[in-house]
Amino acid sequence: MLAVLKAHAGTRDKGPPPVDKWNPIHCGDIGMEIMADGTWKHEGTRITREPLVRLFASILRKDEDGQTYLVTPVEKIVVKVHDAPFTAIRADRVGEGKDQQIIFTTNVGDVITAGPTNPIRVERNGEEPRPYVLVRGRLEARILRAPFYELVEWSEARDGVLAVLSGNASWSLGSA
């Protein structure tokens, strides 16, 4: 199932570049930003070429200072992120019960299986849940409404809390 989802998302198995191992000099701010809906912009203009957005996404890194950067072996450029750098546009379930795995596909083609190394978390914005899944490093994807509703459908109520399982881990989605 994972191979099918990766093929559908257009991802390759070689993975992203090793940006965590690169330590280039900081080159400043060139007006790059990622909007809350996952739209990438440069100096206020939307970047519409999907291959370019996927390339930029592959060299994205969030450092310990909380700032997100585009990183190459020789340059590090700040990127303003309005929410999360990615959005989880799809959720698929493989198996059931304690053997269940939830696989997310992001807007830039990443395919992630939720588990101990890729946890799910839910914040609250008033009454509205804001769910996220860790993609890589410190980079998260905000789980969009339709995939979140699927998580709720796959969850179980335990002691007044909805919990979803994936990869031998459990996460609270909110009150039942």
Side-chain angles (χ1 to χ4, degrees):
M1 173 77 159
L2 192 57
V4 170
L5 289 171
K6 284 184 177 184
H8 177 71
T11 59
R12 299 172 296 236
D13 280 333
K14 70 178 185 177
V19 296
D20 57 322
K21 293 177 175 49
W22 297 339
N23 293 303
I25 62 168
H26 183 261
C27 295
D29 185 343
I30 62 166
M32 293 287 290
E33 60 185 321
I34 304 171
M35 310 309 287
D37 67 357
T39 300
W40 286 62
K41 290 186 175 184
H42 176 249
E43 296 181 343
T45 302
R46 182 176 183 198
I47 301 172
T48 57
R49 294 185 54 215
E50 187 174 335
L52 187 58
V53 169
R54 286 181 182 229
L55 172 66
F56 287 156
S58 74
I59 59 170
L60 205 59
R61 180 176 84 195
K62 186 173 183 179
D63 286 355
E64 288 180 11
D65 64 3
Q67 186 64 56
T68 304
Y69 300 94
L70 289 177
V71 180
T72 72
V74 296
E75 293 181 314
K76 183 166 121 176
I77 299 166
V78 69
V79 177
K80 181 179 180 184
V81 178
H82 291 267
D83 186 358
F86 311 123
T87 55
I89 59 173
R90 177 177 172 159
D92 293 278
R93 178 172 67 163
V94 177
E96 292 182 16
K98 65 181 177 106
D99 297 323
Q100 174 174 279
Q101 290 188 320
I102 298 173
I103 302 166
F104 292 98
T105 304
T106 71
N107 61 318
V108 293
D110 289 307
V111 177
I112 309 105
T113 302
T117 57
N118 297 93
I120 296 169
R121 70 180 180 90
V122 179
E123 288 187 359
R124 293 272 174 212
N125 183 7
E127 290 295 312
E128 183 180 335
R130 302 279 298 177
Y132 300 86
V133 61
L134 185 64
V135 175
R136 64 179 179 274
R138 294 178 190 89
L139 300 172
E140 293 183 307
R142 186 172 50 81
I143 302 169
L144 296 183
R145 188 171 303 221
F148 182 66
Y149 285 160
E150 290 178 304
L151 293 181
V152 170
E153 184 179 314
W154 300 331
S155 68
E156 296 178 7
R158 296 183 188 159
D159 299 323
V161 174
L162 287 177
V164 66
L165 297 169
S166 179
N168 294 319
S170 175
W171 296 278
S172 169
L173 300 180
S175 300

